[in-house]
Amino acid sequence: MRDFVFKFLRKIISTKRFQNIGYLPRWIIFTIDVFIVLIACLITQIIIHSLNVKLYPTLNVYIQYAIVILVNAISFIFFKTYSGIIRHSTFIDGVKLLVATTTSYLGLMIVNYSLQIFRKDRLLLSTGLFITYVISFLLLFLFRILVKNIFETYLQISDTNQLVKAVIYGADANAISVANALKTEKPSRFNVIAFVNKFKQDKTNKSILNLPIINQTKGIHVILKSVNAEALIIAEKSLTKEETIKLVEECLEYNFKVFTVPLITNWEDQNQISNQLKNFAIEDLLEREPIVLDDNKISNQIKGKIVMITGGAGSIGSEIVRQVINFSPNKIIILDQAESPLHSLQLEISEQSNDIKIITVLADIKDYDALEMVFEKFKPDFVYHAAAYKHVPLIEENPSQAIFTNVIGTKNLADLSKKYLVEKFVMVSTDKAVNPSSVMGASKRIAEKYVQSLHYHLVNTTQKNATKFITTRFGNVLGSNGSIVPLFTKQIQEGGPITITHPEIIRYFMTIPEACQLVLEAGAMGNGGEIFIFDMGKPVKIIDFAKKMIRLAGFIPDKDINIKIIGLRPGEKLYEELLNDSSKTLPTYNNKIMISQDICDDFEDVKDLVAELINITKKYSNLEVVAQMKKIVPEFKSMNSEYQILDIK
């Protein structure tokens, strides 16, 4: 019978006409409340007459009902018990009902005793009034509870079908709070159907919030399938990064959505918890151990000093700026040729720089005279050189511009650092400089050669207070300008396809903050002349990376979003290296940083070759420029490029 009634209610309530019903007018709610009081009177009358007692004289039954209903109606109007929306009734509405019915009861008792004194008559027995009071309150309260439950339980059946069926991973206080918040928030986004308990021995055959707790004795995808869930919300804070990554990747592999949620104390809006559920970013899934910096070593060198950062408005340079601020330098000189990004960065950091003086300089590193004015005016103690052209296919078509910026720009900065006795010059390089196959990579290798040979030239000529030139070399940085993450994100948003150059292409990745942390650390530990290489973790196949990004966005690879192979671009190779074939590494106190022992060329030879390259570059003859680059960097072998003819002997 119960199941039949529930099915009948579901059928009625799930109809479109019922679902579109608006909020009832207040006068209808008021009428229903009055009718409920009448029902309470009838029930009281039945109870009183069923008692085998001698009754005192009372008023006519119709007059009794009229007075009881009138007093209750006045009380309802005074306390506005009908003004709330029944389906959204709260504890406050229950209190208002109690106060209203209690006031009515007290009023009727006064009427009752007044009639007894002046007419020797009574409205009702005192017991009858009390029974009416109790029954009317209970019926009024139950009416609201019933309506609220009907709407919450059954009207939302069709809505629930549109909600994301989610399982919460965790069974602690944080997980319970998340479930409670998701259950009560309006509008709803998730339909929580179960909890998963990481600790298999606990809470066996128990439930929370009337939802089952499932012990994790199987893979998470098996559990999600068994309860017909669509998503996993990770609220268990005892998970290690490795455990979290394993959970996320298992969910993605089987096309389940996965979200993470902050601790209760970090909730920004207690009423909209679903807005705080975050999709995992691709950066979160890099299998890398956290980097531990020697903050004291960095601070001891930078604190109170003048620091200049070139390319300071770019993705790497701007992050170096943000991190350098934490070590309390005296001044930060942010140099870049890009006006709008430089202005945006200035606005961003002006609020967090405190007593640190921030100086923004709009200048091009190709312009020696403009740079010298900066060095002469501010006399920086440290230079972090992050300015560079780095887009491989674009630079392959414009080799002269690569020389102007990556080589001449670096040479200008290095020469001025030497001239103005900068303490340390830290150059940001790339793994594409190792056995380069592109003009961009070769241009960075030439810059490395110039900087490293200049350092040893200064050491060998025993110049006092000579600048220490340090090079840092790392692979692809997630989220940097021109990286595959923004490109793939845009392609996914547009519905695909994601374009990949080759199904076997692999790359090393790290995040922007990681890369910049290691740049600062290497700069602090370097004594000059080193080429520091960073532990980039495991290489990643780009096609697997793309599939992971598609799944993180909630789509299925090759079904919702296609992957298209377009062929290797000019200058591109299948894999990057961090070391030349002839190079070896030395460890440092930070196991994330190693020193490459590259063969250092004679500075005078490098200087002459670079000077010749600069002269050739001014002719804008691509083949001549690249030919001279290959002369300076013999291991430079072009790939998928028109310059391959220069490699034929």
Side-chain angles (χ1 to χ4, degrees):
M1 182 66 181
R2 179 175 175 271
D3 292 340
F4 173 78
V5 172
F6 282 177
K7 287 179 182 178
F8 179 72
L9 285 172
R10 286 193 185 100
K11 188 173 181 180
I12 295 175
I13 294 172
S14 61
T15 61
K16 187 173 180 181
R17 185 175 180 183
F18 193 93
Q19 289 178 25
N20 292 333
I21 190 171
Y23 299 125
L24 290 176
R26 293 181 176 183
W27 68 267
I28 293 181
I29 302 299
F30 175 77
T31 303
I32 293 173
D33 286 350
V34 170
F35 179 74
I36 288 174
V37 173
L38 176 60
I39 297 297
C41 290
L42 291 173
I43 294 172
T44 302
Q45 196 74 17
I46 293 170
I47 293 172
I48 293 295
H49 282 283
S50 66
L51 297 174
N52 189 18
V53 294
K54 182 180 179 181
L55 299 177
Y56 291 97
T58 58
L59 295 177
N60 181 279
V61 67
Y62 299 109
I63 297 175
Q64 292 177 19
Y65 290 177
I67 293 175
V68 171
I69 291 171
L70 178 62
V71 172
N72 275 278
I74 293 171
S75 184
F76 294 156
I77 293 170
F78 182 80
F79 291 103
K80 296 182 178 179
T81 57
Y82 53 85
S83 63
I85 299 170
I86 301 297
R87 71 180 73 170
H88 300 312
S89 295
T90 63
F91 174 75
I92 300 300
D93 296 303
V95 172
K96 285 171 67 175
L97 274 178
L98 180 62
V99 172
T101 51
T102 302
T103 302
S104 299
Y105 170 65
L106 295 175
L108 289 168
M109 288 295 290
I110 293 171
V111 171
N112 206 22
Y113 285 114
S114 298
L115 288 172
Q116 185 179 358
I117 293 171
F118 295 109
R119 289 190 50 176
K120 306 298 182 182
D121 210 343
R122 293 188 184 190
L123 174 64
L124 274 171
L125 293 172
S126 297
T127 304
L129 288 176
F130 182 76
I131 293 172
T132 303
Y133 158 61
V134 172
I135 293 175
S136 60
F137 170 73
L138 290 176
L139 291 178
L140 289 166
F141 186 75
L142 288 174
F143 164 65
R144 282 156 174 77
I145 295 296
L146 179 64
V147 172
K148 182 179 176 70
N149 282 341
I150 287 174
F151 273 90
E152 285 187 353
T153 306
Y154 299 112
L155 185 60
Q156 290 183 358
I157 288 173
S158 60
D159 294 335
T160 300
N161 292 333
Q162 300 173 6
L163 300 180
V164 178
K165 293 181 180 178
V167 169
I168 293 181
Y169 193 90
D172 58 4
N174 193 69
I176 296 169
S177 298
V178 170
N180 242 331
L182 290 174
K183 189 176 180 181
T184 57
E185 76 169 349
K186 306 292 180 186
S188 297
R189 180 182 166 195
F190 293 92
N191 176 26
V192 179
I193 57 178
F195 293 88
V196 172
N197 183 29
K198 171 188 173 185
F199 305 102
K200 302 173 186 177
Q201 71 277 16
D202 296 338
K203 300 182 174 66
T204 306
N205 299 323
K206 291 188 178 180
S207 64
I208 300 175
L209 301 177
N210 210 25
L211 298 173
I213 300 174
I214 304 170
N215 291 322
Q216 192 185 0
T217 56
K218 301 176 181 177
I220 193 65
H221 74 279
V222 176
I223 295 173
L224 294 175
K225 281 183 179 179
S226 68
V227 295
N228 198 27
E230 301 169 83
L232 182 72
I233 299 172
I234 299 178
E236 177 62 64
K237 295 308 171 184
S238 66
L239 291 174
T240 63
K241 183 174 181 180
E242 291 74 18
E243 289 174 326
T244 302
I245 290 175
K246 184 179 178 182
L247 272 178
V248 174
E249 292 193 335
E250 186 178 345
C251 288
L252 296 180
E253 183 181 352
Y254 290 91
N255 300 316
F256 291 107
K257 297 176 182 177
V258 59
F259 302 90
T260 184
V261 65
L263 288 168
I264 307 169
T265 51
N266 297 330
W267 290 4
E268 296 172 1
D269 183 353
Q270 301 289 331
N271 298 319
Q272 286 296 321
I273 182 60
S274 67
N275 292 340
Q276 299 176 59
L277 295 184
K278 304 296 182 185
N279 290 96
F280 278 84
I282 192 69
E283 293 87 346
D284 299 326
L285 302 185
L286 287 180
E287 296 183 30
R288 303 176 55 80
E289 296 176 5
I291 294 173
V292 180
L293 295 182
D294 187 346
D295 290 345
N296 290 332
K297 195 173 185 70
I298 299 172
S299 181
N300 289 340
Q301 292 204 20
I302 293 179
K303 188 174 183 179
K305 298 295 181 68
I306 299 171
V307 179
M308 184 166 83
I309 299 153
T310 71
S315 49
I316 299 295
S318 61
E319 181 62 23
I320 292 176
V321 171
R322 295 182 190 99
Q323 294 193 21
V324 164
I325 288 174
N326 298 324
F327 297 102
S328 304
N330 181 27
K331 292 178 186 175
I332 298 179
I333 303 157
I334 309 172
L335 187 144
D336 205 295
Q337 65 165 339
E339 177 198 13
S340 296
L342 187 61
H343 177 65
S344 298
L345 180 64
Q346 183 183 38
L347 295 177
E348 176 196 331
I349 65 175
S350 59
E351 298 178 358
Q352 57 178 320
S353 56
N354 299 324
D355 298 330
I356 302 168
K357 190 171 183 180
I358 304 294
I359 300 158
T360 50
V361 177
L362 194 61
D364 194 326
I365 60 172
K366 297 190 291 286
D367 188 339
Y368 183 91
D369 294 333
L371 287 179
E372 182 159 31
M373 289 178 62
V374 177
F375 276 84
E376 186 176 14
K377 182 177 181 180
F378 299 109
K379 294 182 173 56
D381 300 301
F382 286 84
V383 173
Y384 291 95
H385 173 36
Y389 283 156
K390 59 185 179 181
H391 297 281
V392 171
L394 187 61
I395 298 303
E396 201 73 11
E397 297 174 4
N398 301 275
S400 295
Q401 296 304 319
I403 303 305
F404 286 135
T405 296
N406 294 354
V407 178
I408 296 176
T410 302
K411 180 180 181 299
N412 289 341
L413 288 163
D415 291 345
L416 287 167
S417 295
K418 166 197 164 186
K419 181 177 179 180
Y420 287 91
L421 300 177
V422 169
E423 290 182 33
K424 283 188 178 181
F425 177 96
V426 183
M427 173 184 165
V428 176
S429 188
T430 170
D431 58 357
K432 292 177 175 62
V434 181
N435 295 325
S437 63
S438 65
V439 172
M440 192 283 282
S443 68
K444 293 295 285 184
R445 179 60 187 142
I446 294 169
E448 286 183 0
K449 280 177 173 280
Y450 187 87
V451 166
Q452 188 182 32
S453 62
L454 175 58
H455 172 80
Y456 286 113
H457 172 72
L458 295 177
V459 171
N460 293 333
T461 55
T462 61
Q463 294 191 25
K464 293 182 178 180
N465 301 320
T467 304
K468 296 176 180 179
F469 290 92
I470 298 160
T471 299
T472 61
R473 184 191 287 166
F474 50 87
N476 295 270
V477 179
L478 292 177
S480 64
N481 296 330
S483 77
I484 63 172
V485 173
L487 173 63
F488 285 178
T489 300
K490 182 174 182 293
Q491 290 175 337
I492 290 169
Q493 289 172 347
E494 293 172 351
I498 279 185
T499 54
I500 292 175
T501 56
H502 194 283
E504 298 300 321
I505 194 167
I506 62 172
R507 289 292 183 267
Y508 291 96
F509 289 103
M510 70 185 344
T511 65
I512 293 176
E514 278 183 319
C516 296
Q517 286 170 357
L518 291 172
V519 167
L520 293 181
E521 180 89 357
M525 73 168 65
N527 294 313
E530 304 99 338
I531 296 180
F532 288 101
I533 61 174
F534 300 157
D535 175 11
M536 299 294 295
K538 297 177 182 177
V540 178
K541 283 185 78 169
I542 300 300
I543 194 166
D544 294 338
F545 191 89
K547 289 177 180 178
K548 202 170 286 188
M549 283 195 66
I550 292 170
R551 291 188 178 107
L552 280 172
F555 300 108
I556 300 174
D558 297 319
K559 181 179 178 183
D560 302 321
I561 304 289
N562 290 325
I563 296 174
K564 183 179 179 182
I565 308 298
I566 60 174
L568 290 171
R569 299 172 298 176
E572 189 173 43
K573 53 186 177 180
L574 286 177
Y575 60 92
E576 303 290 357
E577 305 154 275
L578 290 171
L579 288 170
N580 288 314
D581 296 335
S582 60
S583 299
K584 296 180 180 179
T585 60
L586 292 175
T588 67
Y589 64 77
N590 188 323
N591 60 5
K592 296 286 183 180
I593 304 175
M594 296 162 286
I595 299 173
S596 171
Q597 290 185 299
D598 288 52
I599 298 172
C600 183
D601 297 340
D602 180 75
F603 175 68
E604 294 300 333
D605 292 340
V606 174
K607 182 180 177 182
D608 291 342
L609 288 169
V610 168
E612 188 179 349
L613 175 63
I614 292 170
N615 290 330
I616 294 171
T617 301
K618 292 175 181 177
K619 299 177 185 178
Y620 292 94
S621 171
N622 289 353
L623 281 175
E624 288 186 60
V625 170
V626 176
Q628 180 64 14
M629 294 176 75
K630 290 177 181 291
K631 186 177 178 182
I632 301 173
V633 186
E635 67 270 24
F636 172 24
K637 305 297 179 187
S638 299
M639 293 185 68
N640 312 299
S641 171
E642 61 181 299
Y643 308 123
Q644 285 177 276
I645 59 172
L646 298 172
D647 298 324
I648 300 173
K649 296 182 180 179

